[in-house]
Amino acid sequence: MIDCLMKTARAEGFLGMYRGAAVNLTLVTPEKAIKLAANDFFRQLLMEDELQRNLKMEMLAGCGAGMCQVVVTCPMEMLKIQLQDAGRLAVCQGSASAPSSSRSYTAGSASTHKRLSATLIAWELLCTQGLAGLYKGLGATLLRDIPFSIIYFPLFANLNNLGFNERTGKASFAHSFMSGCVAGSVAAVAVTPLDVLKTRIQTLKKGLGEDTYSGITNCARKLWIQEGPSAFMKGAGCRALVIAPLFGIAQGVYFIGIGERILKCFE
């Protein structure tokens, strides 16, 4: 992780660490809104008494939330991956003797010479492949996000319940934050192999000697043969470091009820 950080900063500068930030800023808000609201909706639908823990129903509610969020998650990750990978590919192309060794987003596209942006990538995919282009890797995204939500939401609910305050009727922000961090880290590490497969499939441009994949099974088989079992856990530490505060903050703010207070201002 440190080696990657240093090489990226050296090759692309400080701003290279923030490639894809605009996509995240734009789409992570609706993604988390859908995820959290959908989980609450399914919990209320499936559980008669919220105070009584029912692990099966909590897992089923998490499954529903994971299925709903991919409407935003899949295109967001698709665009973010291309932008974050652009710097690495530029270095590979610069050092390669044959510039044609890396294929473009679409056959015969001249856009590789332009400055990449999420808008450019999205427009090109829509023009050449239609809406399906933005949803490439949808199966892999579902395969990652559904197990993540099945693990995360019941674990968070049970951890958060340990800090329940009868006087206020809910756990404190600090407890909700820590519960979100712990649950997010555990779920992130648990689904890392599925995230690796999804990232490989959604990486449209390939460097010299890099494989292309026809699907989830094909990707998993090639990864196992060429890089070994440890390849499936690549980036687990990074994911835990990112997901922990992300879900800790999101879940803490959600439980404080800031959204409800903002809505009251418009009533």
Side-chain angles (χ1 to χ4, degrees), residues 20-111:
V23 176
N24 262 1
L25 285 170
T26 305
L27 296 178
V28 78
T29 301
E31 183 210 27
K32 290 296 174 283
I34 292 170
K35 189 183 189 82
L36 296 174
N39 179 68
D40 272 5
F41 171 77
F42 287 118
R43 283 175 68 91
Q44 292 171 13
L45 190 68
L46 296 169
M47 297 170 65
E48 293 180 2
D49 187 359
E50 280 282 323
L51 296 178
Q52 289 187 346
R53 306 254 73 88
N54 187 326
L55 184 59
K56 289 181 179 179
M57 291 299 104
E58 288 177 340
M59 292 173 71
L60 198 57
C63 176
M67 290 180 68
C68 291
Q69 76 168 81
V70 295
V71 174
V72 176
T73 304
C74 192
M76 178 183 75
E77 296 264 318
M78 185 73 174
L79 297 174
K80 184 184 72 173
I81 287 169
Q82 312 321 314
L83 291 169
Q84 290 181 338
D85 201 41
R88 180 186 68 85
L89 287 170
V91 173
C92 289
Q93 288 175 336
S95 60
S97 57
S100 60
S101 61
S102 177
R103 68 181 181 88
S104 62
Y105 295 110
T106 56
S109 171
S111 64

Side-chain angles (χ1 to χ4, degrees), residues 5 29 58 62 81 99 113 122 124 141 174 177 183 203 210 212 230 263:
L5 172 67
T29 301
E58 288 177 340
I81 287 169
H113 302 292
E124 188 177 342
T141 306
F177 174 79
T203 303
E210 291 183 340
T212 56
S230 61
L263 289 173

Side-chain angles (χ1 to χ4, degrees), residues 12 18 70 131 186:
E12 304 173 50
Y18 286 88
V70 295
L131 197 60
V186 172

Side-chain angles (χ1 to χ4, degrees), residues 198-209:
K198 181 198 74 66
T199 303
R200 297 293 181 98
I201 291 169
Q202 287 188 321
T203 303
L204 296 178
K205 294 182 72 177
K206 304 294 181 182
L208 182 64

Side-chain angles (χ1 to χ4, degrees), residues 123-136:
W123 178 250
E124 188 177 342
L125 287 170
L126 285 171
C127 288
T128 57
Q129 301 178 37
L131 197 60
L134 286 174
Y135 282 89
K136 180 180 172 66

